[in-house]
Amino acid sequence: MAIPDFQSVMRPVLATVQDGVPLALNELRERVADQFQLTEDERKERLPSGNQTVINNRVGWARTYLNKAGLLCIPAKGVVQITARGQEALASGPQRITVRWLKQFPEFADFHTAKPQGSDATVATELDLVETTPDEQLAEAHQALQQSLVDELLAQVRAATPGFFEQLVVDLMLAMGYGGSRKEAGKATQATNDDGIDGIINEDKLGLDVIYLQAKRWSNTVHRPEIDKFIGALTRQRARKGVFITTSDFSAGAREAALGLDIKVVLIDGEELARLMVENNLGVSVKQVYEVKQLDSDYFSEV
């Protein structure tokens, strides 16, 4: 079955510790995963940040919410235990414990209600119907902002002049660690004698190997004949590595043409180009930084 949302995890978390015996959080996670019959791949699936698995994150937030509502307590580091209120919830509560149901407990309502700084007014954050944890919501919001930025970048690149696009390719290769010096990299987009290659750039600062480039500021899809032409040019140069960059996209045939070769051919379409620009801080600037902190358990360890 699919990985359950964190609200669906809350009652199983309670049921797992209903015997009243303190249970280690790691063991709790394993038992909940077993209860939902998660596959190995589902157990290993990670959040977009890569910092934690999805199921561990959801069990962790379920524990936090249940603790804030007084249904669980944390008698020791990394340990959970059911409370009398938790036992009552299992006996008479709903089959699916939700954020809305937990709001009947004043301490949870206080925890879950945001209070803007400098204001006495409260703003209820209605997450009752949201099936994701705060970590996931933050990651999803970040991904949405990133996708919007990628779309904007790609539109700007497509509207730029051919000369600017050539310089962009050089700047991107430099930002990714290729090209050696800027002077050497500047030669990358100079015309070559082969109409299938736009330029050559060093793979490393010492020039131990080179990469052959083809850059197309196109709006139309790149099809297989263009890739075959590039591969032919690489073969004539006895090249081992080539990168084909376009502002559009590649057809399925074009992508197939780049597979199973003795030489390495990398295809970068418009969306990937924009994402690489974002990752390497090219043509973008930092708008706002939000720090998400967590408890430093080592600080509280008493030796």
Side-chain angles (χ1 to χ4, degrees):
M1 69 189 304
I3 302 174
D5 63 85
F6 89 103
Q7 294 187 106
S8 296
V9 165
M10 286 197 274
R11 185 178 178 91
V13 165
L14 272 184
T16 301
V17 295
Q18 62 183 325
D19 59 6
V21 178
L23 184 67
L25 180 57
N26 287 339
E27 180 63 22
L28 174 65
R29 290 166 173 164
E30 286 298 319
R31 292 188 188 182
V32 171
D34 289 342
Q35 183 172 337
F36 284 100
Q37 299 179 334
L38 300 185
T39 65
E40 281 303 309
D41 287 342
E42 289 169 336
R43 293 169 192 250
K44 294 177 181 177
E45 184 177 331
R46 304 188 80 82
L47 297 173
S49 65
N51 293 331
Q52 192 179 28
T53 62
V54 172
I55 185 60
N56 283 359
N57 180 262
R58 292 181 180 177
V59 171
W61 276 103
R63 178 201 62 162
T64 296
Y65 276 38
L66 293 170
N67 173 248
K68 293 297 183 181
L71 278 65
L72 284 180
C73 65
I74 303 175
K77 176 183 174 182
V79 175
V80 295
Q81 186 176 22
I82 197 168
T83 64
R85 182 183 287 180
Q87 296 285 12
E88 292 175 7
L90 285 177
S92 58
Q95 285 303 304
R96 183 174 186 268
I97 295 175
T98 64
V99 171
R100 175 171 293 178
W101 187 81
L102 291 177
K103 284 185 176 180
Q104 67 181 289
F105 305 112
E107 53 267 64
F108 179 81
D110 289 342
F111 156 77
H112 195 258
T113 302
K115 294 183 179 181
Q117 187 174 9
S119 172
D120 292 332
T122 61
V123 179
T125 55
E126 290 298 331
L127 300 178
D128 307 43
L129 302 179
V130 176
E131 306 296 340
T132 53
T133 68
D135 285 330
E136 292 173 299
Q137 293 162 37
L138 183 60
E140 289 167 4
H142 181 261
Q143 285 185 320
L145 289 171
Q146 290 288 86
Q147 184 59 54
S148 176
L149 177 58
V150 164
D151 294 342
E152 286 185 69
L153 267 177
L154 188 52
Q156 287 280 64
V157 172
R158 286 172 175 167
T161 64
F164 182 89
F165 182 58
E166 289 182 357
Q167 184 61 50
L168 186 153
V169 169
V170 171
D171 290 341
L172 179 60
M173 298 299 286
L174 282 170
M176 294 173 64
Y178 300 104
S181 69
R182 176 167 290 279
K183 180 180 179 181
E184 292 169 342
K187 301 175 184 177
T189 52
Q190 292 181 1
T192 66
N193 294 326
D194 196 314
D195 59 2
I197 294 174
D198 284 337
I200 304 170
I201 195 167
N202 288 338
E203 183 178 19
D204 53 71
K205 293 183 178 180
L206 295 178
L208 297 176
D209 205 349
V210 295
I211 299 173
Y212 289 76
L213 302 174
Q214 179 73 280
K216 297 293 187 184
R217 191 180 59 89
W218 282 6
S219 57
N220 296 326
T221 299
V222 177
H223 292 283
R224 181 165 192 147
E226 289 296 326
I227 305 302
D228 287 338
K229 180 179 175 182
F230 182 50
I231 293 171
L234 293 174
T235 302
R236 288 191 292 275
Q237 295 289 336
R238 296 183 178 180
R240 297 188 302 165
K241 299 171 185 177
V243 178
F244 195 116
I245 303 173
T246 182
T247 52
S248 59
D249 56 10
F250 297 98
S251 68
R255 294 189 182 279
E256 289 174 3
L259 301 176
L261 303 173
D262 292 332
I263 56 179
K264 179 66 175 179
V265 177
V266 175
L267 305 183
I268 300 177
D269 61 21
E271 180 133 338
E272 180 65 15
L273 171 63
R275 291 191 184 281
L276 287 172
M277 291 176 66
V278 173
E279 289 175 13
N280 292 278
N281 296 312
L282 180 62
V284 299
S285 58
V286 176
K287 177 181 179 181
Q288 183 70 52
V289 176
Y290 297 94
E291 290 188 341
V292 180
K293 299 182 180 181
Q294 64 182 10
L295 181 70
D296 183 359
S297 300
D298 292 337
Y299 176 79
F300 295 95
S301 298
E302 297 184 30
V303 180

